[in-house]
Amino acid sequence: MARTDEDTEQLTRPAEPAGPTAPTDRPPVTDAVTPDGRTPGSRTPDARMPRWLPRAMVLALALIAAFQLGSWAFHQLTGLLINILIAFFLALAVEPAVSRMAARGMRRGLATFLVFFVLTAAAAGFVTLLGSMLAGQIIKMIEGFPDYLDSLIHWINQTFHANLRRVDVQEGLLHSDWLRKYAQNSAAGVLDVSQQVLGGLFQLLTVALFSFYFAADGPRLRRALCSVLPPARQSEVLRAWEIAVDKTGGYLYSRGLMALVSGIAHYILLEALGVPYAPVLGVWVGLVSQFIPTIGTYLAGALPMLIAFTVAPWYAVWVLVFVVIYQQFENYMLQPKLTAKSVDIHPAVAFGSVIVGTALLGAVGALISIPAVATLQAFLGAYVKRYDVTDDPRVNGHRVRTQGGSGVLARLRAARVRR
């Protein structure tokens, strides 16, 4: 069968898709790549670093380095800062005496030197007397040790029917490993004790030097501090300085007066009992009991009790009873009258300040915590507005009862009436 023209046209016509197709705007896909590594028609994101990021990183690293350096320096200088704080409070304590002598025409440096000379002479005399007393008691105990040992051996032989001799006990002690190890440890500890003594003397010299300059150059120091402050702040700083001088000096002077009374009272007791070194022990009890807060009384009474025990055991009991009775007399009668005007701080606040100061700075914090808190309390009291208290019985702790009874019963009765 011969092909027609229609069949020839169908064979030569290109084939059409089976279904309708939607036109697309996509460019033809090619494998061409531009010289910068991108394909034609693709979008390039902005991969450049922000300009502020390097500066922020450098600033953050600088701040971290400065913080680490400051923290290291603070830990290294903690001892010096504590010594400067002690020197500052000591200068505040002696400034009233120095200012009074300077007001009479004496140079301030000479007045400061005289005050510190008197304090140093008194401290050196006390330490010398105390050291001689302790040395005498140690020598007395060493000389009487054979007699004590003989009496102890005699008591053991009679009580337990033993046959001990002092020669055997002495030979056993001399050839024991315990005595050999104790001698070795003591010899090794001499160097540590020497280092601690030298360190303590250096700290004492540092405190004395700074406190002398603070007291002698007090006006110059206040002038230098006020020169960097506006006039409105200068009066506040000077007022705070005067409050600190009054509170610190009043606290130390009141403590010194109570130390004098305590020392005289304990001296009379020890002299009546015939305890040796009664004057030195009285001074010891007065100073330690007043300038070591909270536990100073019991620490001060331990040494007189020990010395009294060497005279007679019952004397130590009498000393303990007297220490306890005098502590109550001082807490409830003597101390409130002497410190009411000088410090004016509540006993609970004083006790809490001692605990906080001890936790922060140890013995130094316990000593300076009370004048520091008293100064802060007096300074803040001028900026706290106070009002008159209304005449309400509840202010004095008296409860006011309603007509219907107490609170819970009144509510129950009211609910019952409403029902």
Side-chain angles (χ1 to χ4, degrees):
M1 182 177 178
R3 295 182 177 177
T4 60
D5 294 336
E6 294 179 359
D7 296 335
T8 305
E9 185 177 359
Q10 291 178 357
L11 291 174
T12 59
R13 185 183 301 173
E16 294 180 359
T21 58
T24 59
D25 297 331
R26 291 182 302 174
V29 178
T30 60
D31 295 335
V33 180
T34 58
D36 57 356
R38 295 183 292 104
T39 57
S42 62
R43 296 182 180 180
T44 59
D46 191 5
R48 290 181 302 175
M49 183 182 297
R51 295 180 178 180
W52 56 267
L53 186 58
R55 297 179 181 178
M57 294 175 64
V58 172
L59 181 60
L61 293 176
L63 291 177
I64 294 174
F67 176 77
Q68 295 292 337
L69 181 62
S71 177
W72 172 80
F74 178 78
H75 286 87
Q76 294 295 325
L77 298 176
T78 301
L80 179 61
L81 295 176
I82 293 176
N83 292 333
I84 293 176
L85 182 63
I86 298 173
F88 179 72
F89 274 92
L90 183 59
L92 292 179
V94 302
E95 187 168 350
V98 174
S99 299
R100 191 175 296 110
M101 297 172 66
R104 296 181 178 180
M106 186 181 295
R107 290 187 304 169
R108 193 173 182 89
L110 180 59
T112 306
F113 173 77
L114 291 177
V115 172
F116 275 91
F117 178 78
V118 172
L119 293 177
T120 304
F126 171 71
V127 172
T128 302
L129 291 176
L130 184 63
S132 63
M133 180 199 68
L134 291 177
Q137 290 301 122
I138 291 174
I139 293 174
K140 183 178 178 181
M141 292 176 63
I142 292 175
E143 291 178 350
F145 179 76
D147 296 334
Y148 294 147
L149 184 60
D150 288 338
S151 61
L152 179 61
I153 291 174
H154 180 70
W155 178 80
I156 293 175
N157 291 334
Q158 286 185 350
T159 305
F160 300 100
H161 304 286
N163 191 17
L164 293 177
R165 294 184 303 171
R166 189 176 70 179
V167 178
D168 298 336
V169 175
Q170 291 178 351
E171 290 181 355
L173 289 175
L174 291 176
H175 295 87
S176 62
D177 295 336
W178 174 82
L179 184 61
R180 180 177 55 81
K181 292 180 180 179
Y182 179 78
Q184 293 177 355
N185 295 331
S186 300
V190 170
L191 182 60
D192 297 337
V193 172
S194 302
Q195 292 178 354
Q196 292 179 1
V197 170
L198 292 177
L201 291 176
F202 179 75
Q203 290 182 358
L204 184 61
L205 180 62
T206 303
V207 170
L209 184 64
F210 275 105
S211 59
F212 178 82
Y213 282 121
F214 285 155
D217 294 338
R220 186 182 303 176
L221 181 61
R222 287 191 289 267
R223 189 178 295 108
L225 183 60
C226 292
S227 63
V228 296
L229 297 174
R233 297 294 182 184
Q234 293 179 9
S235 60
E236 296 181 1
V237 171
L238 294 176
R239 181 176 177 275
W241 193 291
E242 292 298 324
I243 291 175
V245 170
D246 294 338
K247 295 299 181 181
T248 305
Y251 171 74
L252 293 181
Y253 293 152
S254 63
R255 286 289 175 177
L257 185 57
M258 287 191 296
L260 179 62
V261 176
S262 176
I264 293 175
H266 287 83
Y267 162 73
I268 294 174
L269 173 68
L270 296 175
E271 189 69 23
L273 295 177
V275 178
Y277 303 101
V280 182
L281 290 175
V283 176
W284 163 265
V285 173
L287 292 178
V288 175
S289 63
Q290 300 304 321
F291 291 99
I292 299 181
T294 307
I295 61 173
T297 302
Y298 305 102
L299 291 178
L303 183 59
M305 288 175 56
L306 179 61
I307 304 299
F309 184 81
T310 59
V311 178
W314 284 105
Y315 287 177
V317 179
W318 284 110
V319 172
L320 176 61
V321 172
F322 182 81
V323 167
V324 174
I325 294 176
Y326 181 83
Q327 179 67 19
Q328 304 306 318
F329 165 75
E330 181 183 286
N331 290 338
Y332 293 102
M333 297 186 63
L334 186 61
Q335 183 175 355
K337 294 181 179 180
L338 293 178
T339 60
K341 296 182 180 180
S342 59
V343 181
D344 191 17
I345 185 172
H346 194 272
V349 179
F351 182 73
S353 64
V354 169
I355 294 177
V356 174
T358 305
L360 294 177
L361 299 177
V364 177
L367 183 61
I368 67 176
S369 59
I370 293 179
V373 172
T375 301
L376 182 62
Q377 178 180 346
F379 182 72
L380 295 179
Y383 297 95
V384 177
K385 188 176 181 180
R386 298 183 180 274
Y387 301 92
D388 294 333
V389 181
T390 58
D391 295 334
D392 196 322
R394 290 172 292 183
V395 175
N396 298 322
H398 301 294
R399 298 184 62 186
V400 178
R401 294 184 178 275
T402 58
Q403 296 180 355
S406 59
V408 178
L409 295 178
R411 286 194 295 270
L412 292 176
R413 293 174 182 175
R416 189 177 300 172
V417 169
R418 285 195 299 269
R419 290 178 182 176

